[in-house]
Amino acid sequence: MTKINIGLIGYGTVGSGVVKFLSNRKSFIKNKFNTEFTIRTLCDLKLPKKNTRGLGRTRLTKKVQDVLDDPKIDIVIELIGGLHPAKEIVVKALNQGKHVITANKALIANSGKELFRMAKKQNCHLYFESSVGAGTPIIKTITEGIVGNKFNSIYGIINGTCNFILSEMTQRNYSVAQALTEAQKKGFAESNPTLDINGMDSVHKLAILVYLTFGKFIDVNDIYREGITHISHDDIEHATSLGLSIKLLAIAKKEDKNIEVRVHPTLISKNHPLASINSIYNAVYMNTDPLGSVLLSGEGAGQMAAASGVISDLINFASRGNNSALPCNRYSEASGLKIKKIDQIKTKFYIRFMVTDKPGILSVITGILGKHGIGINSVTQKAHNPTSTVPVIMLTDYTSEKMLRLALNKIHKLPVVKSKPVAIRMEKLW
Ligand code: HSE
Protein backbone atom coordinates (compact mmCIF):
# COMPACT_ATOMS: atom_id res chain seq x y z
CA MET A 1 0.00 0.00 0.00
CA THR A 2 1.45 3.39 -1.03
CA LYS A 3 0.91 6.03 1.65
CA ILE A 4 0.93 9.68 0.72
CA ASN A 5 0.80 12.56 3.19
CA ILE A 6 -0.73 15.76 1.99
CA GLY A 7 -0.33 19.33 3.20
CA LEU A 8 -3.42 21.21 2.11
CA ILE A 9 -3.16 24.98 1.94
CA GLY A 10 -6.51 26.71 1.49
CA TYR A 11 -9.85 25.55 2.83
CA GLY A 12 -12.23 27.54 0.66
CA THR A 13 -14.71 26.16 -1.86
CA VAL A 14 -12.20 23.93 -3.66
CA GLY A 15 -10.15 22.97 -0.58
CA SER A 16 -13.23 21.76 1.28
CA GLY A 17 -14.31 19.94 -1.91
CA VAL A 18 -10.98 18.07 -1.96
CA VAL A 19 -11.46 17.03 1.70
CA LYS A 20 -15.00 15.86 0.93
CA PHE A 21 -13.88 13.95 -2.18
CA LEU A 22 -11.04 12.13 -0.38
CA SER A 23 -13.29 11.27 2.53
CA ASN A 24 -16.17 10.01 0.35
CA ARG A 25 -13.88 7.92 -1.87
CA LYS A 26 -11.38 6.69 0.70
CA SER A 27 -12.01 2.97 0.29
CA PHE A 28 -12.57 3.26 -3.48
CA ILE A 29 -9.14 4.89 -3.87
CA LYS A 30 -7.51 2.41 -1.49
CA ASN A 31 -8.92 -0.60 -3.30
CA LYS A 32 -8.50 0.60 -6.85
CA PHE A 33 -5.08 2.28 -6.62
CA ASN A 34 -3.59 0.56 -3.60
CA THR A 35 -2.91 3.99 -2.22
CA GLU A 36 -3.87 5.80 0.94
CA PHE A 37 -3.98 9.59 0.95
CA THR A 38 -3.91 11.33 4.31
CA ILE A 39 -4.38 15.05 4.80
CA ARG A 40 -1.73 15.43 7.45
CA THR A 41 -1.99 19.19 7.84
CA LEU A 42 -4.54 21.76 6.75
CA CYS A 43 -3.47 25.39 6.68
CA ASP A 44 -5.89 28.29 6.33
CA LEU A 45 -6.26 31.69 7.92
CA LYS A 46 -9.88 30.86 8.72
CA LEU A 47 -9.90 27.38 10.15
CA PRO A 48 -12.99 25.32 10.86
CA LYS A 49 -13.78 25.51 14.62
CA LYS A 50 -13.38 21.77 15.00
CA ASN A 51 -12.24 19.00 12.70
CA THR A 52 -15.10 18.31 10.34
CA ARG A 53 -15.80 15.12 8.42
CA GLY A 54 -12.74 14.09 6.45
CA LEU A 55 -10.39 15.99 8.73
CA GLY A 56 -10.44 13.47 11.61
CA ARG A 57 -6.79 13.48 12.67
CA THR A 58 -5.63 16.30 10.45
CA ARG A 59 -3.55 18.95 12.17
CA LEU A 60 -5.09 22.41 11.70
CA THR A 61 -2.82 25.42 11.47
CA LYS A 62 -2.71 29.01 10.33
CA LYS A 63 1.04 28.87 9.70
CA VAL A 64 2.14 27.80 6.24
CA GLN A 65 5.55 26.91 7.62
CA ASP A 66 3.93 24.03 9.54
CA VAL A 67 3.25 22.44 6.16
CA LEU A 68 6.44 23.42 4.37
CA ASP A 69 8.81 22.36 7.17
CA ASP A 70 7.19 19.00 7.84
CA PRO A 71 9.43 16.30 6.29
CA LYS A 72 6.58 13.79 6.45
CA ILE A 73 4.50 15.79 3.94
CA ASP A 74 5.06 14.42 0.43
CA ILE A 75 2.92 16.79 -1.55
CA VAL A 76 1.52 20.27 -1.04
CA ILE A 77 -1.86 21.19 -2.51
CA GLU A 78 -2.12 24.96 -2.95
CA LEU A 79 -5.72 26.14 -3.20
CA ILE A 80 -5.66 29.72 -2.00
CA GLY A 81 -5.77 31.25 -5.50
CA GLY A 82 -4.34 34.60 -6.66
CA LEU A 83 -0.70 35.29 -7.42
CA HIS A 84 0.51 36.29 -3.94
CA PRO A 85 1.25 34.75 -1.50
CA ALA A 86 0.51 31.57 -3.51
CA LYS A 87 3.68 32.03 -5.55
CA GLU A 88 5.92 32.40 -2.52
CA ILE A 89 4.33 29.31 -0.96
CA VAL A 90 4.80 27.17 -4.07
CA VAL A 91 8.38 28.38 -4.52
CA LYS A 92 9.18 27.48 -0.92
CA ALA A 93 7.50 24.08 -1.24
CA LEU A 94 9.51 23.24 -4.39
CA ASN A 95 12.69 24.50 -2.77
CA GLN A 96 12.04 22.13 0.12
CA GLY A 97 11.79 19.31 -2.43
CA LYS A 98 8.03 18.91 -2.07
CA HIS A 99 5.78 18.03 -4.98
CA VAL A 100 2.98 20.50 -5.65
CA ILE A 101 -0.57 20.44 -6.98
CA THR A 102 -2.26 23.73 -7.66
CA ALA A 103 -5.53 24.85 -9.24
CA ASN A 104 -4.20 28.39 -9.53
CA LYS A 105 -4.47 29.74 -13.08
CA ALA A 106 -3.13 33.20 -12.22
CA LEU A 107 -0.05 31.53 -10.76
CA ILE A 108 0.69 29.23 -13.70
CA ALA A 109 -0.17 31.89 -16.30
CA ASN A 110 2.11 34.50 -14.73
CA SER A 111 4.89 32.41 -13.23
CA GLY A 112 4.65 28.99 -14.88
CA LYS A 113 7.97 29.36 -16.69
CA GLU A 114 9.88 29.97 -13.48
CA LEU A 115 7.98 27.34 -11.50
CA PHE A 116 8.36 24.61 -14.15
CA ARG A 117 12.10 25.32 -14.24
CA MET A 118 12.28 25.11 -10.49
CA ALA A 119 10.28 21.88 -10.41
CA LYS A 120 12.63 20.36 -12.98
CA LYS A 121 15.70 21.44 -11.03
CA GLN A 122 14.30 20.03 -7.81
CA ASN A 123 13.07 16.88 -9.53
CA CYS A 124 9.59 17.62 -8.23
CA HIS A 125 6.18 17.25 -9.81
CA LEU A 126 4.06 20.33 -10.41
CA TYR A 127 0.49 19.48 -11.38
CA PHE A 128 -2.20 21.98 -12.35
CA GLU A 129 -5.10 20.13 -14.03
CA SER A 130 -7.80 22.18 -12.28
CA SER A 131 -6.31 25.47 -13.42
CA VAL A 132 -8.17 25.18 -16.75
CA GLY A 133 -11.64 23.64 -17.06
CA ALA A 134 -11.65 22.43 -13.43
CA GLY A 135 -11.97 18.63 -13.53
CA THR A 136 -12.54 18.44 -17.29
CA PRO A 137 -9.19 16.97 -18.32
CA ILE A 138 -8.10 19.63 -20.80
CA ILE A 139 -4.52 19.74 -19.58
CA LYS A 140 -4.04 15.99 -19.53
CA THR A 141 -5.65 15.67 -22.96
CA ILE A 142 -3.25 18.23 -24.45
CA THR A 143 -0.12 17.13 -22.60
CA GLU A 144 -0.67 13.39 -22.78
CA GLY A 145 -3.53 12.21 -24.99
CA ILE A 146 -2.67 14.28 -28.08
CA VAL A 147 0.78 15.44 -27.07
CA GLY A 148 2.44 14.48 -30.38
CA ASN A 149 0.04 16.53 -32.52
CA LYS A 150 0.70 19.97 -33.92
CA PHE A 151 -1.90 22.48 -32.76
CA ASN A 152 -3.27 24.96 -35.28
CA SER A 153 -6.05 26.60 -33.32
CA ILE A 154 -7.91 26.49 -30.01
CA TYR A 155 -11.34 27.91 -29.35
CA GLY A 156 -12.24 27.66 -25.69
CA ILE A 157 -15.23 28.37 -23.53
CA ILE A 158 -13.13 28.40 -20.39
CA ASN A 159 -15.01 30.54 -17.93
CA GLY A 160 -17.99 28.77 -16.42
CA THR A 161 -19.39 31.94 -14.84
CA CYS A 162 -19.54 33.85 -18.14
CA ASN A 163 -20.96 30.88 -19.99
CA PHE A 164 -23.58 30.51 -17.27
CA ILE A 165 -24.45 34.24 -17.48
CA LEU A 166 -24.71 34.29 -21.28
CA SER A 167 -26.80 31.10 -21.24
CA GLU A 168 -29.18 32.51 -18.60
CA MET A 169 -29.46 35.78 -20.55
CA THR A 170 -30.31 33.85 -23.71
CA GLN A 171 -32.63 31.24 -22.23
CA ARG A 172 -34.29 33.09 -19.33
CA ASN A 173 -33.94 36.75 -20.18
CA TYR A 174 -31.80 37.35 -17.08
CA SER A 175 -29.65 40.48 -16.88
CA VAL A 176 -25.87 40.13 -16.39
CA ALA A 177 -26.30 41.15 -12.72
CA GLN A 178 -29.12 38.65 -12.02
CA ALA A 179 -27.24 35.79 -13.61
CA LEU A 180 -24.00 36.71 -11.80
CA THR A 181 -25.79 36.60 -8.44
CA GLU A 182 -26.99 33.08 -9.31
CA ALA A 183 -23.44 32.04 -10.29
CA GLN A 184 -22.07 33.38 -7.00
CA LYS A 185 -24.75 31.53 -5.01
CA LYS A 186 -23.78 28.32 -6.76
CA GLY A 187 -20.07 28.86 -6.02
CA PHE A 188 -18.81 29.08 -9.63
CA ALA A 189 -17.64 32.68 -9.63
CA GLU A 190 -14.29 33.81 -8.25
CA SER A 191 -14.26 35.57 -4.88
CA ASN A 192 -13.71 38.66 -7.00
CA PRO A 193 -16.14 37.99 -9.89
CA THR A 194 -14.77 40.96 -11.82
CA LEU A 195 -12.01 38.65 -13.02
CA ASP A 196 -14.63 36.32 -14.48
CA ILE A 197 -16.78 38.86 -16.25
CA ASN A 198 -13.98 41.12 -17.48
CA GLY A 199 -12.39 38.13 -19.21
CA MET A 200 -9.21 38.03 -17.07
CA ASP A 201 -9.89 34.52 -15.79
CA SER A 202 -10.13 33.31 -19.40
CA VAL A 203 -6.94 35.21 -20.26
CA HIS A 204 -5.05 33.34 -17.53
CA LYS A 205 -6.38 30.01 -18.75
CA LEU A 206 -5.65 30.85 -22.39
CA ALA A 207 -2.04 31.75 -21.52
CA ILE A 208 -1.66 28.27 -19.99
CA LEU A 209 -3.18 26.59 -23.06
CA VAL A 210 -0.94 28.59 -25.40
CA TYR A 211 2.12 27.35 -23.55
CA LEU A 212 0.93 23.75 -23.61
CA THR A 213 -0.07 23.79 -27.29
CA PHE A 214 2.27 26.26 -29.01
CA GLY A 215 5.14 25.90 -26.55
CA LYS A 216 5.47 29.57 -25.63
CA PHE A 217 4.88 31.42 -22.40
CA ILE A 218 3.29 34.72 -23.28
CA ASP A 219 2.75 37.76 -21.13
CA VAL A 220 -0.91 37.83 -20.07
CA ASN A 221 -0.91 41.54 -20.95
CA ASP A 222 -0.29 40.62 -24.59
CA ILE A 223 -3.62 38.80 -24.78
CA TYR A 224 -6.39 41.03 -26.13
CA ARG A 225 -9.32 41.01 -23.69
CA GLU A 226 -12.94 42.09 -23.69
CA GLY A 227 -15.44 40.93 -21.08
CA ILE A 228 -19.18 40.42 -21.27
CA THR A 229 -20.60 43.38 -19.35
CA HIS A 230 -21.52 45.33 -22.49
CA ILE A 231 -23.54 42.47 -23.99
CA SER A 232 -27.24 43.37 -24.07
CA HIS A 233 -30.44 41.38 -24.40
CA ASP A 234 -31.14 43.19 -27.64
CA ASP A 235 -27.95 41.91 -29.24
CA ILE A 236 -28.57 38.38 -27.98
CA GLU A 237 -32.06 38.48 -29.50
CA HIS A 238 -30.92 39.92 -32.85
CA ALA A 239 -28.05 37.45 -33.06
CA THR A 240 -30.35 34.53 -32.24
CA SER A 241 -32.72 35.56 -35.02
CA LEU A 242 -29.75 35.51 -37.43
CA GLY A 243 -28.88 31.93 -36.42
CA LEU A 244 -25.98 32.99 -34.21
CA SER A 245 -25.07 32.19 -30.65
CA ILE A 246 -22.91 34.32 -28.35
CA LYS A 247 -20.05 32.89 -26.29
CA LEU A 248 -17.09 34.36 -24.44
CA LEU A 249 -14.38 32.65 -26.49
CA ALA A 250 -10.70 32.33 -25.75
CA ILE A 251 -9.05 32.04 -29.14
CA ALA A 252 -5.50 31.10 -30.10
CA LYS A 253 -4.39 30.45 -33.67
CA LYS A 254 -0.98 29.78 -35.11
CA GLU A 255 0.17 30.28 -38.64
CA ASP A 256 3.88 29.77 -39.21
CA LYS A 257 5.54 31.97 -36.61
CA ASN A 258 2.53 34.24 -35.98
CA ILE A 259 0.03 33.67 -33.23
CA GLU A 260 -3.30 35.33 -32.47
CA VAL A 261 -4.42 35.31 -28.86
CA ARG A 262 -7.63 36.97 -27.75
CA VAL A 263 -10.58 36.70 -25.38
CA HIS A 264 -13.85 38.39 -26.30
CA PRO A 265 -17.57 37.79 -26.78
CA THR A 266 -17.90 36.04 -30.11
CA LEU A 267 -20.81 35.15 -32.35
CA ILE A 268 -20.68 31.66 -33.80
CA SER A 269 -23.13 29.67 -35.87
CA LYS A 270 -25.76 28.06 -33.65
CA ASN A 271 -25.04 24.82 -35.54
CA HIS A 272 -21.46 24.60 -34.32
CA PRO A 273 -20.99 22.15 -31.41
CA LEU A 274 -19.59 24.94 -29.21
CA ALA A 275 -22.93 26.77 -29.48
CA SER A 276 -24.60 23.99 -27.53
CA ILE A 277 -22.18 24.23 -24.59
CA ASN A 278 -24.30 25.99 -22.00
CA SER A 279 -24.46 26.84 -18.32
CA ILE A 280 -21.22 26.25 -16.39
CA TYR A 281 -19.94 23.79 -18.96
CA ASN A 282 -16.53 24.55 -20.43
CA ALA A 283 -15.28 23.27 -23.76
CA VAL A 284 -12.22 23.42 -25.93
CA TYR A 285 -12.38 22.86 -29.65
CA MET A 286 -8.94 22.31 -31.10
CA ASN A 287 -7.68 21.85 -34.60
CA THR A 288 -4.73 19.48 -34.51
CA ASP A 289 -2.52 17.71 -36.98
CA PRO A 290 -2.84 14.83 -37.78
CA LEU A 291 -5.78 14.06 -35.49
CA GLY A 292 -8.03 16.84 -36.81
CA SER A 293 -10.73 18.49 -34.72
CA VAL A 294 -11.02 17.56 -31.08
CA LEU A 295 -13.85 18.73 -28.82
CA LEU A 296 -13.68 18.23 -25.09
CA SER A 297 -16.36 19.43 -22.74
CA GLY A 298 -17.42 19.11 -19.12
CA GLU A 299 -18.21 21.10 -16.00
CA GLY A 300 -15.60 23.82 -15.79
CA ALA A 301 -16.41 25.45 -12.48
CA GLY A 302 -17.78 24.56 -9.08
CA GLN A 303 -16.58 22.86 -5.95
CA MET A 304 -16.61 19.19 -6.90
CA ALA A 305 -15.64 19.76 -10.53
CA ALA A 306 -12.47 21.54 -9.38
CA ALA A 307 -11.86 18.96 -6.63
CA SER A 308 -12.07 16.21 -9.25
CA GLY A 309 -9.12 17.69 -11.17
CA VAL A 310 -7.05 17.95 -8.00
CA ILE A 311 -7.77 14.33 -7.09
CA SER A 312 -6.80 13.16 -10.57
CA ASP A 313 -3.47 14.99 -10.12
CA LEU A 314 -3.01 13.26 -6.77
CA ILE A 315 -3.69 9.81 -8.18
CA ASN A 316 -1.44 10.50 -11.18
CA PHE A 317 1.30 11.56 -8.78
CA ALA A 318 0.87 8.42 -6.71
CA SER A 319 1.00 6.16 -9.74
CA ARG A 320 3.92 7.93 -11.42
CA GLY A 321 6.19 7.77 -8.40
CA ASN A 322 8.94 10.24 -7.73
CA ASN A 323 10.94 9.95 -10.91
CA SER A 324 8.87 11.04 -13.87
CA ALA A 325 7.46 14.53 -13.57
CA LEU A 326 4.85 15.76 -16.06
CA PRO A 327 6.36 16.16 -19.54
CA CYS A 328 5.06 19.73 -19.84
CA ASN A 329 7.21 20.77 -16.89
CA ARG A 330 10.15 19.85 -19.10
CA TYR A 331 9.22 21.31 -22.52
CA SER A 332 11.78 23.39 -24.38
CA GLU A 333 10.24 26.73 -25.18
CA ALA A 334 9.43 27.53 -28.83
CA SER A 335 11.40 30.45 -30.21
CA GLY A 336 10.62 33.16 -32.74
CA LEU A 337 6.84 33.17 -32.26
CA LYS A 338 5.27 36.61 -32.69
CA ILE A 339 1.94 37.75 -31.30
CA LYS A 340 -0.22 39.63 -33.79
CA LYS A 341 -1.60 42.93 -32.49
CA ILE A 342 -5.40 43.11 -32.38
CA ASP A 343 -5.30 45.89 -35.04
CA GLN A 344 -3.75 43.47 -37.54
CA ILE A 345 -6.33 40.74 -37.02
CA LYS A 346 -9.12 40.34 -39.56
CA THR A 347 -12.55 39.05 -38.53
CA LYS A 348 -16.15 39.41 -39.55
CA PHE A 349 -18.35 41.64 -37.37
CA TYR A 350 -21.92 41.95 -36.24
CA ILE A 351 -22.69 45.68 -35.93
CA ARG A 352 -25.79 47.29 -34.45
CA PHE A 353 -26.57 50.94 -35.15
CA MET A 354 -29.43 52.79 -33.47
CA VAL A 355 -30.58 55.26 -36.11
CA THR A 356 -33.42 57.60 -37.03
CA ASP A 357 -35.83 55.78 -39.33
CA LYS A 358 -35.51 57.97 -42.45
CA PRO A 359 -34.84 57.16 -46.13
CA GLY A 360 -31.22 57.41 -47.26
CA ILE A 361 -29.59 56.73 -43.90
CA LEU A 362 -28.45 53.23 -44.74
CA SER A 363 -26.67 54.47 -47.84
CA VAL A 364 -24.73 57.04 -45.77
CA ILE A 365 -23.62 54.33 -43.33
CA THR A 366 -22.72 51.76 -45.97
CA GLY A 367 -20.92 54.54 -47.87
CA ILE A 368 -18.63 55.20 -44.90
CA LEU A 369 -18.04 51.47 -44.40
CA GLY A 370 -17.28 51.09 -48.12
CA LYS A 371 -14.75 53.95 -48.01
CA HIS A 372 -12.92 52.04 -45.29
CA GLY A 373 -12.86 48.89 -47.43
CA ILE A 374 -15.49 47.12 -45.30
CA GLY A 375 -17.83 44.86 -47.25
CA ILE A 376 -21.35 44.14 -45.99
CA ASN A 377 -22.76 40.61 -46.14
CA SER A 378 -26.23 41.39 -44.82
CA VAL A 379 -28.35 44.26 -43.53
CA THR A 380 -31.48 43.92 -41.40
CA GLN A 381 -33.62 46.71 -40.03
CA LYS A 382 -35.40 45.33 -37.02
CA ALA A 383 -38.35 47.74 -36.76
CA HIS A 384 -40.03 50.68 -38.51
CA ASN A 385 -40.88 53.75 -36.53
CA PRO A 386 -40.41 57.17 -38.12
CA THR A 387 -40.80 58.88 -34.75
CA SER A 388 -38.05 57.04 -32.87
CA THR A 389 -34.76 55.21 -33.34
CA VAL A 390 -34.60 51.72 -34.78
CA PRO A 391 -31.90 49.05 -34.70
CA VAL A 392 -30.10 48.27 -37.93
CA ILE A 393 -27.95 45.15 -37.89
CA MET A 394 -25.15 44.64 -40.39
CA LEU A 395 -22.93 41.60 -40.78
CA THR A 396 -19.63 42.52 -42.38
CA ASP A 397 -17.16 40.59 -44.46
CA TYR A 398 -13.61 40.10 -43.08
CA THR A 399 -12.18 43.42 -42.03
CA SER A 400 -9.30 44.65 -39.92
CA GLU A 401 -10.10 45.95 -36.47
CA LYS A 402 -8.31 49.16 -37.31
CA MET A 403 -10.50 50.00 -40.30
CA LEU A 404 -13.65 49.02 -38.46
CA ARG A 405 -12.82 51.28 -35.52
CA LEU A 406 -12.09 54.23 -37.83
CA ALA A 407 -15.37 53.72 -39.71
CA LEU A 408 -17.47 53.32 -36.57
CA ASN A 409 -16.01 56.51 -35.07
CA LYS A 410 -17.11 58.42 -38.16
CA ILE A 411 -20.56 56.83 -38.21
CA HIS A 412 -21.07 57.54 -34.51
CA LYS A 413 -20.66 61.26 -35.24
CA LEU A 414 -23.56 61.32 -37.73
CA PRO A 415 -26.54 63.18 -36.19
CA VAL A 416 -28.88 60.35 -37.23
CA VAL A 417 -26.90 57.77 -35.22
CA LYS A 418 -28.25 57.95 -31.69
CA SER A 419 -25.87 55.79 -29.68
CA LYS A 420 -22.43 54.25 -29.89
CA PRO A 421 -22.51 51.46 -32.49
CA VAL A 422 -22.13 47.99 -30.97
CA ALA A 423 -19.63 45.67 -32.68
CA ILE A 424 -19.22 41.99 -31.83
CA ARG A 425 -16.72 39.76 -33.60
CA MET A 426 -17.92 36.70 -35.48
CA GLU A 427 -15.87 33.59 -35.93
CA LYS A 428 -16.14 30.74 -38.35
CA LEU A 429 -14.71 27.77 -36.51
CA TRP A 430 -12.90 24.89 -38.07
N1 HSE B 1 -14.43 31.16 -11.78
C1 HSE B 1 -14.04 30.15 -12.71
C2 HSE B 1 -15.10 30.05 -13.77
C3 HSE B 1 -13.92 28.78 -12.08
O1 HSE B 1 -16.17 30.65 -13.63
O2 HSE B 1 -14.87 29.35 -14.73
C4 HSE B 1 -12.57 28.40 -11.69
O3 HSE B 1 -11.63 28.52 -12.69
Side-chain angles (χ1 to χ4, degrees):
M1 177 77 61
T2 309
K3 296 195 175 204
I4 292 185
N5 284 323
I6 299 166
L8 176 59
I9 302 178
Y11 195 60
T13 308
V14 184
S16 50
V18 166
V19 171
K20 207 190 285 181
F21 200 128
L22 282 177
S23 149
N24 291 348
R25 299 279 162 98
K26 203 171 181 63
S27 49
F28 163 79
I29 291 173
K30 235 183 188 172
N31 295 337
K32 186 161 182 186
F33 304 104
N34 206 25
T35 303
E36 196 173 6
F37 293 109
T38 306
I39 302 177
R40 185 173 159 84
T41 307
L42 165 65
C43 171
D44 197 298
L45 294 178
K46 273 192 239 138
L47 284 167
K49 292 245 161 29
K50 57 181 175 42
N51 281 5
T52 48
R53 188 162 173 254
L55 288 175
R57 303 224 308 269
T58 299
R59 175 185 184 194
L60 305 181
T61 180
K62 292 187 179 182
K63 285 191 256 157
V64 85
Q65 226 45 52
D66 290 341
V67 172
L68 303 179
D69 290 343
D70 183 347
K72 293 213 166 121
I73 288 181
D74 304 296
I75 188 157
V76 172
I77 305 182
E78 179 279 306
L79 297 174
I80 57 176
L83 194 50
H84 302 291
K87 181 174 174 185
E88 291 69 22
I89 292 172
V90 170
V91 165
K92 279 187 193 150
L94 292 171
N95 274 333
Q96 302 269 55
K98 297 205 183 301
H99 306 286
V100 173
I101 293 173
T102 177
N104 190 329
K105 53 246 151 152
L107 176 66
I108 301 294
N110 284 292
S111 304
K113 189 171 179 169
E114 185 185 337
L115 296 177
F116 289 163
R117 250 192 223 146
M118 195 172 277
K120 183 177 171 186
K121 188 165 151 241
Q122 296 294 104
N123 210 17
C124 288
H125 295 235
L126 173 58
Y127 290 92
F128 50 100
E129 182 61 64
S130 272
S131 63
V132 183
T136 303
I138 297 174
I139 288 176
K140 290 195 210 320
T141 300
I142 293 173
T143 58
E144 296 181 27
I146 52 176
V147 66
N149 279 255
K150 254 175 64 186
F151 293 84
N152 301 318
S153 59
I154 316 164
Y155 298 93
I157 297 173
I158 47 179
N159 184 271
T161 302
C162 287
N163 204 39
F164 178 82
I165 291 173
L166 293 174
S167 304
E168 296 290 288
M169 287 175 79
T170 308
Q171 290 163 4
R172 297 196 209 204
N173 266 359
Y174 275 22
S175 66
V176 173
Q178 272 174 316
L180 176 60
T181 308
E182 275 296 302
Q184 283 174 306
K185 270 194 221 150
K186 293 182 188 225
F188 314 142
E190 296 301 299
S191 46
N192 174 4
T194 313
L195 296 179
D196 291 302
I197 58 175
N198 73 8
M200 201 60 208
D201 179 83
S202 295
V203 162
H204 286 143
K205 292 168 178 170
L206 184 60
I208 298 173
L209 294 183
V210 166
Y211 172 63
L212 299 178
T213 53
F214 302 157
K216 183 168 173 68
F217 272 111
I218 53 175
D219 187 329
V220 293
N221 298 309
D222 287 339
I223 299 183
Y224 177 81
R225 169 174 63 89
E226 250 177 53
I228 61 164
T229 41
H230 61 293
I231 299 299
S232 71
H233 269 298
D234 288 349
D235 293 313
I236 290 180
E237 263 174 38
H238 299 322
T240 306
S241 71
L242 293 166
L244 299 167
S245 173
I246 188 154
K247 296 288 170 196
L248 182 73
L249 282 196
I251 300 172
K253 298 184 196 179
K254 181 165 174 284
E255 229 185 279
D256 303 322
K257 291 280 178 190
N258 293 314
I259 53 178
E260 280 181 29
V261 276
R262 46 198 166 99
V263 168
H264 50 69
T266 312
L267 290 165
I268 57 176
S269 161
K270 71 173 178 12
N271 298 322
H272 190 275
L274 279 185
S276 61
I277 307 298
N278 286 314
S279 186
I280 51 154
Y281 276 75
N282 278 199
V284 285
Y285 180 75
M286 299 173 279
N287 185 276
T288 67
D289 180 25
L291 185 60
S293 295
V294 177
L295 174 67
L296 182 66
S297 175
E299 282 194 23
Q303 184 185 48
M304 297 318 284
S308 166
V310 172
I311 301 299
S312 87
D313 282 344
L314 257 183
I315 294 173
N316 280 180
F317 165 69
S319 30
R320 278 206 173 102
N322 280 352
N323 298 323
S324 58
L326 270 189
C328 59
N329 294 173
R330 291 159 184 266
Y331 285 173
S332 307
E333 209 177 344
S335 60
L337 292 185
K338 267 205 236 122
I339 298 177
K340 270 195 189 170
K341 294 251 180 303
I342 192 72
D343 271 0
Q344 302 166 311
I345 290 171
K346 288 194 165 184
T347 48
K348 294 185 177 190
F349 279 88
Y350 156 107
I351 315 173
R352 174 168 56 85
F353 301 103
M354 294 304 293
V355 297
T356 314
D357 196 3
K358 274 204 299 208
I361 286 171
L362 284 187
S363 71
V364 177
I365 292 177
T366 52
I368 295 176
L369 291 171
K371 274 200 190 123
H372 288 79
I374 301 168
I376 311 293
N377 288 345
S378 83
V379 179
T380 321
Q381 182 173 326
K382 284 293 181 183
H384 292 283
N385 187 347
T387 59
S388 86
T389 57
V390 290
V392 170
I393 314 297
M394 293 189 188
L395 302 185
T396 75
D397 201 347
Y398 284 99
T399 173
S400 78
E401 297 262 341
K402 190 174 170 188
M403 294 318 274
L404 186 90
R405 224 169 292 143
L406 289 173
L408 293 189
N409 280 342
K410 276 215 163 131
I411 295 170
H412 187 195
K413 289 188 186 130
L414 297 173
V416 290
V417 173
K418 299 300 179 190
S419 57
K420 193 170 177 231
V422 171
I424 305 174
R425 292 170 191 83
M426 292 166 49
E427 199 76 26
K428 184 167 183 216
L429 311 184
W430 48 68

